[in-house]
Structure formats: C-alpha cells, structure tokens
C-alpha cells in the first residue's frame, strides 16, 4: 500500500508536506441559512417559482374560460350559417331548373352535357 501524502498550502502560497497523518476524515457542514443571504434567497426563489407556476396555471384557466365564453356566440352563429349553407346546397341540388338540360340519351360514361364524343 502506498503511504498517504498530505499537503497544505501555507500563507506564503507554497504547498508544504504535513507529516504523520494516518487518515483524513472530512465533514461537510451545512451553511446557516440565517447567516447566508444567498441560501435564503435560493429557498425563496424555489418557493416563489412554485407560487408563480400556480398563478400562471390559474391565470391560463381563467383566460381559457373567458375566451370560450366570448367566442361562443360567434361559433354558434357560424354553425347556424354553415347549417343554412348546407340546406341551400342540398336544395339547389334537388331543384328543377329550366336552363339545366340532362341528356338521358347517352351512356353513363359519356358527358351528359353537350354532344356525344365521336371517334375518328
């Protein structure tokens, strides 16, 4: 096993060997949130981020409901207009018109409008 070597930086900026060290144990201390304003700020930002997310969700829900209610009359009017248009199209398809002549003297594959095609 290789011997443990520990160095520490001195006040002069140079590394110095520390002799006689058999083991090293490091303990990480948690910062005191009251003493460190950055830790307290980070905790507040996390808390306020959740609050902001909830506020945005609530605002979006209120907006979506208001938009649906505001658009309801226009959508109902558009649906009524489309229904009227469909009725008019169906009525015009079944209406008898004097200027419309359907030739029944031709096979189904030929055009019902105009003279029959001739082969040369």
């Amino acid at each position: 096993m290789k011997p443990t070597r520990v160095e520490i930086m001195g006040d002069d900026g140079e590394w110095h060997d520390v002799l006689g060290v058999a083991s090293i144990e490091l303990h990480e201390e948690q910062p005191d949130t009251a003493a460190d304003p950055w830790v307290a700020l980070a905790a507040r930002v996390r808390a306020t981020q959740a609050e902001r997310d909830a506020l945005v969700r609530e605002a979006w829900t209120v907006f979506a409901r208001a938009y649906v209610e505001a658009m309801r009359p226009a959508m109902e009017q558009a649906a009524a207009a489309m229904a009227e248009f469909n009725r008019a199209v169906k009525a015009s398809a079944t209406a008898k018109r004097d200027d419309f002549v359907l030739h029944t003297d031709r096979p189904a594959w030929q055009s019902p409008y105009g003279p029959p095609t001739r082969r040369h």
Side-chain angles (χ1 to χ4, degrees):
M1 183 188 278
K2 224 175 182 186
T4 303
R5 179 177 173 184
V6 178
E7 293 181 341
I8 191 166
M9 184 177 281
D11 293 333
D12 57 358
E14 298 292 324
W15 289 99
H16 302 280
D17 286 333
V18 179
L19 302 174
V21 176
S23 67
I24 297 175
E25 192 172 317
L26 301 174
H27 297 278
E28 183 179 345
E29 296 179 12
Q30 296 297 323
D32 182 17
T33 58
D36 190 357
W38 293 108
V39 174
L41 177 64
R44 273 190 19 229
V45 166
R46 280 191 300 274
T48 57
Q49 182 66 42
E51 292 168 1
R52 282 185 291 208
D53 291 346
L55 183 63
V56 167
R57 275 192 300 275
E58 182 182 347
W60 177 251
T61 303
V62 169
F63 167 76
R65 286 184 180 144
Y67 180 78
V68 166
E69 288 304 313
M71 291 302 293
R72 184 181 311 276
M75 292 297 114
E76 289 171 351
Q77 189 175 8
M82 287 302 294
E84 181 62 33
F85 176 76
N86 285 336
R87 281 192 293 276
V89 168
K90 286 180 183 177
S92 71
T94 59
K96 300 254 184 208
R97 295 188 328 211
D98 294 337
D99 61 337
F100 179 77
V101 179
L102 180 63
H103 297 281
T104 57
D105 59 337
R106 297 186 180 94
W109 55 268
Q110 281 188 345
S111 170
Y113 315 104
T117 56
R118 298 204 164 115
R119 293 187 184 172
H120 296 285

